[in-house]
Amino acid sequence: KNEHNDTTHELFKQKSSSNMSSPSPSSSSSSSLSSFRICTYNVLAQCYVKSEWFSWTKPKSLLKWKTRREHLRRRLRDDELGKVDVFCLQEVDEFENEWKEFIENELNMGVFYKRRTQKSNDKKDGSLVCWNKEKFELLDTLGVEFNEVTKTLDLDIKEVEGFEEEKKREYERDCVAACVMLLHKASNVPITCVSTHLYWDPAKALVKLKQAEYLREEIERWSQTKGNILIGGDFNSLATSDVYKSMVENDYVSLMRDNETGREPEYTNVTPSFTETIDYIFSSKNWIEKVTHRGKVKNRDLLFDGCPCEGEPSDHLPIYCDIELKKAAAN
């Protein structure tokens, strides 16, 4: 299921050596042909919505799927986000019935979806990447299942009966990542774009750290490089966490981190008891010229007692930025 397609890189070499015609400019908010906009957004799967879990949301009709669906669709194409070229979405459930046609026909984007595994529970949400077909051509896809991380663990302690199986269950949380390899047509640059969702539990920091490590290893093995990688997702981890540090210490940078202040957005997850930043857009180093624009999250006083609320159909906020590629990135 995580097998590498050897023909993909040969396909890219063939495309790189050919005289490709320049694509017509899209209506992207990033004006340069070497620029594009990426957004990550946990859309809150309806299977996790119960009125008692979101007691602050009023009126309660805002939690109904029919209402949330329309608000989410409106949010993905509103003026605030502008024209996004790559979406990384998490907690997408009912993909075939509720999302696929909307993305392909109304957003006019290509899409790859990876549903979560179901070893720990029967939830059927997942993560997806969708892309502007005028700017990008799909080369390959990969679904990463974090339950596989158990194969990398040191489980040699045999003194305690059942220890190995119990330890494995601790790491089998059914989290996944959707990965696509895209060719940026204007610059002829291959880019790996990933949408991921790490385990939620604050008490399981080591589980999340192992998931992050495994994700990097799988992406780099599959793409055969540490370059040209974008990872957007809900990392369920603060900027002070070991997960965040492990990304930075392994040659990834956070694109939403302000260069002047050194800070991430003030918050991406907003509830009465927890208002923090846990969603990020990470990039491998040395292939992006600059971040030309970072979207601002809404002022806290516009978010009522917490999200979901009027104008925000998820408990997370979307974050996005415009990036400009280095001219030498294709090399």
Side-chain angles (χ1 to χ4, degrees):
K1 55 199 164 199
N2 288 351
E3 291 299 317
H4 167 63
N5 183 350
D6 291 328
T7 63
T8 300
H9 303 284
E10 184 60 35
L11 173 64
F12 170 69
K13 291 176 186 176
Q14 294 171 5
K15 290 180 179 294
S16 298
S17 61
S18 64
N19 294 322
M20 296 178 63
S21 59
S22 298
S24 58
S26 73
S27 56
S28 171
S29 297
S30 42
S31 56
S32 169
L33 284 176
S34 62
S35 298
F36 62 90
R37 176 165 292 184
I38 181 170
C39 171
T40 187
Y41 187 19
N42 180 328
V43 298
L44 179 58
Q46 194 65 18
C47 59
Y48 302 121
V49 175
K50 293 184 179 180
S51 58
E52 59 266 32
W53 294 351
F54 297 97
S55 58
W56 56 87
T57 301
K58 298 174 183 177
K60 290 302 177 187
S61 59
L62 291 175
L63 295 176
K64 293 182 177 180
W65 173 240
K66 186 176 181 179
T67 302
R68 292 189 60 244
R69 179 184 61 195
E70 297 311 309
H71 288 177
L72 283 167
R73 290 180 175 183
R74 192 179 308 138
R75 193 74 174 90
L76 293 178
R77 54 190 176 192
D78 65 16
D79 291 338
E80 181 186 337
L81 292 184
K83 174 63 175 177
V84 173
D85 297 302
V86 177
F87 275 113
C88 301
L89 304 184
Q90 304 85 44
E91 289 198 23
V92 176
D93 58 354
E94 295 292 338
F95 170 71
E96 291 289 340
N97 297 326
E98 301 288 356
W99 288 93
K100 189 174 185 292
E101 183 177 352
F102 166 73
I103 291 171
E104 292 180 340
N105 296 339
E106 296 192 40
L107 295 184
N108 193 30
M109 302 180 84
V111 61
F112 173 66
Y113 173 73
K114 174 62 179 176
R115 196 179 78 174
R116 58 179 281 133
T117 50
Q118 296 178 281
K119 194 156 189 176
S120 62
N121 61 54
D122 61 355
K123 302 301 183 185
K124 297 180 180 180
D125 59 298
S127 297
L128 67 78
V129 181
C130 51
W131 59 92
N132 180 345
K133 292 186 291 186
E134 293 183 12
K135 284 200 168 187
F136 296 98
E137 179 179 346
L138 177 65
L139 298 178
D140 201 3
T141 63
L142 173 73
V144 176
E145 299 178 357
F146 291 136
N147 285 355
E148 298 295 307
V149 77
T150 58
K151 296 179 180 178
T152 70
L153 299 176
D154 181 6
L155 298 174
D156 292 336
I157 302 176
K158 303 297 184 183
E159 289 85 353
V160 180
E161 185 178 352
F163 172 83
E164 184 171 343
E165 285 306 310
E166 181 180 346
K167 200 67 177 176
K168 283 177 63 177
R169 284 196 297 272
E170 183 175 341
Y171 286 85
E172 291 174 337
R173 303 296 180 170
D174 294 320
C175 302
V176 298
C179 315
V180 298
M181 191 180 299
L182 302 174
L183 181 69
H184 185 254
K185 296 179 182 180
S187 57
N188 215 29
V189 172
I191 302 171
T192 298
C193 296
V194 180
S195 176
T196 192
H197 191 184
L198 303 191
Y199 187 52
W200 68 271
D201 193 343
K204 300 296 182 181
L206 186 56
V207 172
K208 287 182 271 195
L209 178 60
K210 291 298 183 183
Q211 288 179 339
E213 292 172 350
Y214 181 73
L215 177 62
R216 289 195 306 270
E217 292 168 1
E218 284 298 290
I219 295 169
E220 292 163 13
R221 177 195 62 79
W222 174 62
S223 62
Q224 298 184 349
T225 178
K226 289 188 71 172
N228 300 17
I229 297 171
L230 290 169
I231 307 175
D234 177 358
F235 285 76
N236 273 311
S237 305
L238 301 179
T240 55
S241 69
D242 288 340
V243 167
Y244 188 97
K245 291 175 184 176
S246 77
M247 297 298 295
V248 173
E249 290 171 358
N250 284 275
D251 297 326
Y252 285 81
V253 295
S254 173
L255 297 184
M256 293 300 295
R257 185 174 180 267
D258 187 272
N259 293 334
E260 295 182 3
T261 66
R263 296 176 180 173
E264 295 287 342
E266 189 175 355
Y267 41 75
T268 62
N269 185 212
V270 181
T271 71
S273 60
F274 184 86
T275 299
E276 297 284 357
T277 295
I278 57 176
D279 304 83
Y280 306 98
I281 302 172
F282 286 107
S283 169
S284 54
K285 289 183 176 180
N286 300 324
W287 65 286
I288 292 176
E289 181 67 33
K290 59 185 175 180
V291 177
T292 58
H293 175 72
R294 293 181 178 88
K296 304 294 184 183
V297 296
K298 282 185 179 178
N299 291 335
R300 182 63 184 86
D301 57 4
L302 297 177
L303 300 175
F304 302 91
D305 292 333
C307 300
C309 62
E310 191 68 47
E312 291 296 344
S314 173
D315 54 341
H316 290 249
L317 301 175
I319 54 173
Y320 66 93
C321 62
D322 295 343
I323 60 179
E324 185 172 323
L325 305 180
K326 284 184 176 180
K327 292 182 180 178
N331 297 326

